[in-house]
Amino acid sequence: MERSLLSVLLLGLGFMMLFTAFQTMGNIEKVVIDSIARDDSSFTGDGYVSLSIIYATFAICNWIAPSVVAILGPRGAIVVGSLTYSIFTASFLTPKTWLLYGCSALLGLGAAITWNGQGVYLSRCSNSATISRNSAIFWAMLQASMLIGNTFVWHEFSGLTQVNVETRTLLFAVLVAMALLGVVTLFALPKHVAPQSSARPLAEFKAAAKMAVSPEMALLSTTFLYTGLELSFFSGVYSPTVGFTTALGAKHLVGLSGVCIGLGEVVGGIACGVAGGRWRRDVIVFFGYVVHGIAFAAALINLPDSAVFGDTEALSLLVPPSATVALLAAFLLGLGDACFNTQIIAMLGGVFASKSAAAFALFRFMQSSAAATSFAYSTVFGLRTQLAILATAGAIGTLAFWRVEWRTRVAEMGIEEAEKKRLPEHQVE
């Protein structure tokens, strides 16, 4: 096996274990925290507020993350940042409001460092011929974490209408152990030397600021923002909404919904890896938006508007609501998300390979800013308003991605034509 592919597989394995802890926690955090608040009146934490703090801090810290990566190197940044995921998960073993919010902010910092390091490391493991394949492999392995963690949640929550202390403690302990295994795995990543000389920290910051105002990044920013909005929806809002719809049954559907989202992510990652060499990136992104549109429509007719906030007996257009439709929508949310993210990663790692740290920093900044905003408005906006925002932002982001993709292709064709015209002249000489 080639060394670069082995590195991608090891990177994917480490992130799979790390995010078995985090993505599972994000999926169930609202439900679990509500159960903690019922058992302990002194605990006033809110799952949406915690997730908003994580992504807001993530967004802010993305501006310094390239400098940290330049100092520690991508491997060092990944390992240091990954430790904060373990700390955040462990904080639920002793639930305190101040601890929840403090560890949420710490995780935001760690996530910025981790994901910027990941983007640079993946770029160093790849070239223009392998970046789409490697991006898809990493994405499929990463999202397999939702299958593992949420299958466990599904099993533990089966038959429960409320999440008791014993179930919570066992769940948190298992997730902390998985996060620590992920840290150990990432510590073993092979070293890959940068194809270009490493930039100094200040230079990385300046490069990110300069790239932010370029026409291509201005357009892509709308796509990045959409991925942040839909990330927060599928990772922290949709599954709790299913669980809060009392007409659907017990709380185990929260875990089963997460499993279906993860299955969609894995299938999407594999499919995008296969289709990457045959289909253009803009075609795959358009397909992802169509899939998301179907998922939004299914959620609209199946789930009540007020289920975003807590347990409700209200109904939507489909009476009674269908667990099958809810789980199908969950699968489509994951599938569409994979289409968007694999193609964005492929574009940034290919088109912007020489400035990958700055490009990935901007991507994560925009994405996490939108996710923080989404989690914040989830405390006041019902399901229908959120779906309307998602549908509109998705259309704009898809069109913007198309524009950048076509500009890139036209530029590449122009270079090829210039080379063809130049070669005969050179041969004559």
Side-chain angles (χ1 to χ4, degrees), residues 15 24 56 67 83 109 122 157 166 223 241 250 272 295 323 339 349 377 382 428:
F15 270 70
T24 303
S67 299
L83 287 170
L109 170 62
L122 187 65
F157 283 14
E166 293 76 16
T223 314
T241 300
C272 289
C339 292
Y377 69 55
V428 170

Side-chain angles (χ1 to χ4, degrees), residues 2-332:
E2 59 181 288
R3 185 168 179 266
S4 61
L5 179 57
L6 177 62
S7 298
V8 172
L9 292 174
L10 195 59
L11 181 69
L13 179 62
F15 270 70
M16 180 178 70
M17 290 188 286
L18 191 67
F19 279 81
T20 291
F22 176 67
Q23 294 206 117
T24 303
M25 281 303 308
N27 192 51
I28 66 173
E29 187 171 351
K30 177 65 175 176
V31 173
V32 168
I33 284 180
D34 281 5
S35 71
I36 294 173
R38 279 191 291 268
D39 294 338
D40 182 1
S41 58
S42 66
F43 183 81
T44 58
D46 183 276
Y48 292 151
V49 174
S50 167
L51 290 164
S52 182
I53 291 172
I54 290 171
Y55 285 100
T57 311
F58 188 0
I60 296 168
C61 293
N62 261 295
W63 289 103
I64 64 170
S67 299
V68 176
V69 173
I71 295 170
L72 299 179
R75 289 192 310 158
I78 289 171
V79 172
V80 171
S82 66
L83 287 170
T84 63
Y85 287 86
S86 303
I87 295 171
F88 172 76
T89 308
S91 71
F92 285 86
L93 292 170
T94 54
K96 303 290 181 183
T97 304
W98 65 268
L99 185 62
L100 170 67
Y101 293 156
C103 288
S104 296
L106 178 64
L107 176 56
L109 170 62
I113 297 171
T114 302
W115 279 106
N116 277 273
Q118 178 270 338
V120 175
Y121 188 82
L122 187 65
S123 295
R124 292 186 181 182
C125 294
S126 311
N127 54 43
S128 58
T130 62
I131 184 63
S132 292
R133 179 203 68 181
N134 290 348
S135 298
I137 290 173
F138 172 79
W139 191 257
M141 294 185 70
L142 168 67
Q143 299 304 337
S145 62
M146 296 195 72
L147 297 177
I148 300 168
N150 285 295
T151 298
F152 182 64
V153 171
W154 175 23
H155 177 268
E156 292 300 314
F157 283 14
S158 292
L160 299 180
T161 55
Q162 300 295 335
V163 184
N164 56 45
V165 176
E166 293 76 16
T167 301
R168 292 197 306 262
T169 302
L170 174 62
L171 176 63
F172 299 153
V174 171
L175 294 181
V176 170
M178 285 298 295
L180 291 173
L181 282 174
V183 174
V184 172
T185 303
L186 293 169
F187 189 78
L189 285 173
K191 184 176 182 180
H192 285 265
V193 180
Q196 70 275 1
S197 58
S198 299
R200 292 170 293 178
L202 182 59
E204 290 286 4
F205 177 82
K206 290 180 178 179
K210 183 178 180 180
M211 184 179 289
V213 298
S214 66
E216 291 80 8
M217 274 298 168
L219 285 168
L220 284 177
S221 292
T222 61
T223 314
F224 300 162
L225 289 171
Y226 172 66
T227 64
L229 295 177
E230 55 94 5
L231 165 66
S232 63
F233 182 74
F234 83 74
S235 67
V237 176
Y238 182 76
S239 292
T241 300
V242 172
F244 287 142
T245 304
T246 56
L248 283 173
K251 296 296 183 185
H252 74 274
L253 283 176
V254 177
L256 189 53
S257 173
V259 170
C260 291
I261 292 171
L263 184 61
E265 294 278 11
V266 173
V267 170
I270 295 172
C272 289
V274 174
R278 304 174 184 175
W279 290 10
R280 299 195 311 267
R281 288 185 291 243
D282 54 338
V283 174
I284 295 175
V285 165
F286 177 72
F287 174 76
Y289 178 64
V290 171
V291 167
H292 270 175
I294 297 172
F296 299 156
L300 178 67
I301 66 173
N302 194 45
L303 302 175
D305 187 62
S306 58
V308 170
F309 308 115
D311 288 337
T312 179
E313 297 180 359
L315 299 173
S316 187
L317 300 177
L318 187 61
V319 180
S322 168
T324 301
V325 172
L327 298 179
L328 174 62
F331 173 82
L332 294 177

